[in-house]
Structure formats: structure tokens, C-alpha cells
Amino acid sequence: MIYRIKNFKLSRAIIPNTFTALNLFFGFLSLIMASQGEINLAAQLIFISAVFDLFDGMIARIMNSTSAFGVELDSLADLVSFGAAPAFLVYNSYLYQYGIPGIIISSMPLILGAFRLARFNIQIEDLSVKADFKGLAIPMQALTLASFIAYYYQEGEIISPFNHLVIPLVILLSFLMVTNIKYNRIPKPKELDTKSKIFAILFILGGLAVTFITSGEALFYIFIFLVLFGVFRLIFSKLFGFLK
């Protein structure tokens, strides 16, 4: 449906695309804040980008305005907000001290994230259907890194002993994006039965409560649990033939 205002045509796709643009804007703002040494703020801005990323696709499906253009625009925004922003964030907060190796490692979320998005785009068959993910989704990779840095970056550095986790964490999250490990998409409420809805609500409320009680520290552990769940599910399915 096209809305006409005199000689100006306004597509309904402008609404979800605006959300995508805001995702892109806050990703760019995260880059600026990281370059100015505002590391914690830069990490928080990645979360704001993720909120707009969550709603742009949802709104597009509700308004029946999903399009190939929207998919490509969303991927370009994701590459900035969840590829470039966390890569620059992890470099400015810790990896800068390792010179060339630090640059190479910190570039991995960006480069492998680009491969992840490219593979995702060419595998889409039905734009109206959101299938399970093959490989870790790039927003999940970014949010895991951002939550880690947001809490453990204190007084100008990532506190010990957590600083020793930075390099293995970046490498793990980056390579998980280009694996074939299955990660479930977030199901629509209408797809869940009553028990599943109750469990989902309790899980969300419990996560929020624990995050609040721990002043945000638990958020990283919730994300890393979700990340590793896909890995362990694959291992168990190979060994015992369940949890597929």
C-alpha cells in the first residue's frame, strides 16, 4: 500500500526502515564514543542498537512490508552496529596494547560478521518467514562482548582476572558466527503453548531480576549461556542423538 500526499509517495516500509536507520545511527554513535574513550557508554549504545534491530523486522512483518531492500539495509546496519562497533570497542578497551596482533584479533567480529551476514542473506528463501539461525547471530555476538566490557571495564581498564578472557572470547564468538551450529530464533508468542509462554515469561523476569540484583554482571553470563547452549546441544546430539 502506498500513501499519496499530493505528488509525494510514502511507502509503509518507511517505518521499519526508520528503525533500521536508528540501529545504524546508534552503532555509529558507539564508534564515536569508543574513539573518545567513553567505553562503557559505547557498550551501552550497542544495546540500544539491538533494541531497534529487534523491532525493525517485527514491525516490517506486522505491516507486511518485508522486502529484499529491507533485508539488505538491515544487514548493512548490523555490520556497523554489531560488527564494526564491538570490534572497535574491544580494540579501544583492551586489544590496542598488542599492536598488529591486537588489530587482527579485534577485526574478527567485523570480518567474520560480514561473512555471517552474507551467508544469511543468500540463504533466505521466504522473506516473511524467520527461520532458525545457522551459526551465531551477529547481534548475539555483539551483545555478549558489549555486556562483558560494560561491566568489567572499570577505571580505564578491563579488570583482572577477566582481562585474560578477552582474546579467547573474541575468537570464540567470531568463529561461532561462521559455523553451522544451530541457534533457535525467538519464537512468536502465537507459536508457543501455554506452558512455554509461562516458562518464557518466568525466564525473562528471572533474568531481569538477577541482572538488577547483580548490577548488570549477570547479563554477560546470560548471554554466554545462550551462546554455549548451541555448542553443547551440538555435542550432545552427536554423542547421544538428542537435543537436535
Side-chain angles (χ1 to χ4, degrees):
M1 181 177 181
I2 301 295
Y3 301 95
R4 298 178 181 274
I5 303 177
K6 293 184 178 180
N7 295 325
F8 179 72
K9 295 181 180 180
L10 182 64
S11 169
R12 71 175 79 184
I14 193 172
I15 298 176
N17 289 344
T18 299
F19 275 74
T20 304
L22 288 170
N23 166 17
L24 183 58
F25 171 77
F26 283 103
F28 174 66
L29 192 58
S30 175
L31 289 166
I32 293 176
M33 292 299 104
S35 70
Q36 296 178 353
E38 299 290 341
I39 301 298
N40 296 99
L41 178 56
Q44 293 164 12
L45 288 167
I46 292 175
F47 278 87
I48 296 176
S49 289
V51 172
F52 287 109
D53 180 59
L54 175 65
F55 283 104
D56 63 357
M58 187 183 303
I59 292 172
R61 287 187 291 273
I62 291 173
M63 300 185 65
N64 194 28
S65 59
T66 304
S67 65
F69 174 84
V71 170
E72 296 298 332
L73 180 62
D74 184 68
S75 290
L76 291 172
D78 286 355
L79 188 58
V80 173
S81 299
F82 310 128
F88 196 56
L89 177 67
V90 78
Y91 176 79
N92 273 25
S93 62
Y94 182 74
L95 289 174
Y96 65 89
Q97 60 190 306
Y98 292 100
I100 298 299
I103 293 174
I104 293 172
I105 295 171
S106 60
S107 72
M108 292 175 67
L110 172 62
I111 295 172
L112 296 182
F115 279 93
R116 170 69 177 80
L117 291 168
R119 184 179 69 176
F120 175 78
N121 284 0
I122 65 173
Q123 290 177 339
I124 295 177
E125 296 179 356
D126 187 346
L127 295 176
S128 64
V129 177
K130 189 173 182 180
D132 290 332
F133 299 107
K134 182 181 291 186
L136 183 67
I138 190 172
M140 179 61 73
Q141 168 270 146
L143 291 174
T144 305
L145 278 179
S147 61
F148 176 83
I149 293 174
Y151 188 82
Y152 292 116
Y153 186 87
Q154 300 175 14
E155 298 181 358
E157 63 180 2
I158 296 179
I159 58 176
S160 181
F162 300 100
N163 57 329
H164 300 300
L165 297 176
V166 175
I167 292 177
L169 183 63
V170 171
I171 293 174
L172 173 66
L173 293 172
S174 299
F175 276 107
L176 282 177
M177 287 191 290
V178 292
T179 64
N180 289 322
I181 296 175
K182 176 184 175 182
Y183 285 92
N184 296 105
R185 66 179 176 84
I186 300 175
K188 299 176 183 178
K190 65 180 181 181
E191 297 174 346
L192 300 175
D193 56 30
T194 302
K195 290 183 179 179
S196 297
K197 288 179 181 178
I198 293 174
F199 176 79
I201 292 172
L202 290 176
F203 179 82
I204 293 171
L205 292 177
L208 291 173
V210 172
T211 300
F212 178 77
I213 293 172
T214 60
S215 301
E217 182 178 10
L219 195 59
F220 166 69
Y221 293 101
I222 292 173
F223 283 127
I224 202 65
F225 167 78
L226 295 174
V227 169
L228 295 179
F229 179 78
V231 177
F232 288 122
R233 177 172 58 183
L234 175 65
I235 294 173
F236 274 94
S237 67
K238 295 294 185 182
L239 293 177
F240 306 109
F242 63 89
L243 286 178
K244 293 183 179 181

